[in-house]
Amino acid sequence: NAGVTQTPKFRILKIGQSMTLQCTQDMNHNYMYWYRQDPGMGLKLIYYSVGAGITDKGEVPNGYNVSRSTTEDFPLRLELAAPSQTSVYFCASIPGQGAWGNTIYFGEGSWLTVV
Amino acid sequence: KNEVEQSPQNLTAQEGEFITINCSYSVGISALHWLQQHPGGGIVSLFMLSSGKKKHGRLIATINIQEKHSSLHITASHPRDSAVYICAVSDIQGAQKLVFGQGTRLTINP
């Protein structure tokens, strides 16, 4: 099992550009999340999904979009990148309903700089 | 006031010392997680607790639901334990979203 795989690991974007962070998990987990981590701050939830076709906003969704067409994939789209989106992004997953309080699995992180 | 507070924010100790990191939370939870983040960024889950105490090797995690407090202990600390330790709580709603503390940066000197 590869677990949770994120790509790219590093990316530099110019202001106004768009890009997609890819996230794939091979554990058949229902629940998936995108978090961002800013220096000195706790991770903040951007978007989450409880199953294919179902997504919802987290704490800091502005400037982002997501989709969940399959159980495995949960891409995060940045539209019109801004310097405030410079951060480290983590995708995570847990098995989901019927197994609350499960261990959470994180991807290795994606370092994004907007200049 | 943050919903999840960790203390201390930074901790430096000598190899072999007993380490304690504390976490207090103010919201209802279904579970509490202790996570480890090494330089380079990857985050791994150490423990998931809903009550009592868990032990894995030199690491011990406890939770007191009534006092809304958890501690992570490291016995016989080693330089390889140097990392950021993060406390996070799962909300009581169905989506199990995590709310994170700011992390405790631990440095163990040889």
Side-chain angles (χ1 to χ4, degrees), chain B residues 18-89:
Chain B
F18 182 82
I19 303 299
T20 296
I21 299 170
N22 295 300
C23 176
S24 296
Y25 55 92
S26 58
V27 296
I29 68 169
S30 61
L32 183 142
H33 303 254
W34 282 103
L35 310 167
Q36 181 189 58
Q37 185 174 27
H38 276 287
I43 300 174
V44 295
S45 176
L46 298 175
F47 294 103
M48 188 281 297
L49 293 161
S50 54
S51 64
K53 176 180 175 178
K54 286 190 176 180
K55 184 176 189 292
H56 185 259
R58 295 180 294 106
L59 274 60
I60 303 166
T62 64
I63 187 169
N64 185 317
I65 298 294
Q66 287 73 28
E67 295 187 4
K68 295 188 175 179
H69 181 268
S70 176
S71 293
L72 176 68
H73 306 285
I74 305 175
T75 62
S77 59
H78 190 276
R80 66 175 174 265
D81 297 325
S82 298
V84 176
Y85 292 84
I86 302 169
C87 172
V89 298

Side-chain angles (χ1 to χ4, degrees), chain A residues 10-44:
Chain A
F10 300 98
R11 181 75 185 267
I12 298 175
L13 274 182
K14 293 185 178 178
I15 293 172
Q17 287 185 321
S18 300
M19 73 161 297
T20 299
L21 298 176
Q22 302 291 346
C23 176
T24 300
Q25 52 88 12
D26 61 359
M27 299 172 283
N28 202 33
H29 285 175
N30 289 320
Y31 289 14
M32 296 186 73
Y33 312 86
W34 275 106
Y35 295 97
R36 60 177 286 173
Q37 185 180 38
D38 299 319
M41 308 285 287
L43 283 81
K44 302 287 186 187

Side-chain angles (χ1 to χ4, degrees), chain A residues 9 31 33 35 37 40-45 48 50 57 90 94 96-97 99-104 106-108 111, chain B residues 2 30-31 33 35 37 40-45 47-50 84 86 90 94-103:
Chain A
K9 193 166 177 70
Y31 289 14
Y33 312 86
Y35 295 97
Q37 185 180 38
M41 308 285 287
L43 283 81
K44 302 287 186 187
L45 180 64
Y48 66 98
V50 298
K57 296 178 180 179
F90 288 95
I94 61 173
Q97 191 171 11
W100 67 251
N102 268 267
T103 297
I104 185 163
F106 286 86
E108 292 190 348
W111 275 254
Chain B
N2 292 332
S30 61
H33 303 254
L35 310 167
Q37 185 174 27
I43 300 174
V44 295
S45 176
F47 294 103
M48 188 281 297
L49 293 161
S50 54
V84 176
I86 302 169
S90 297
Q96 298 182 51
K97 296 172 286 184
L98 292 185
V99 178
F100 294 81
Q102 291 182 317

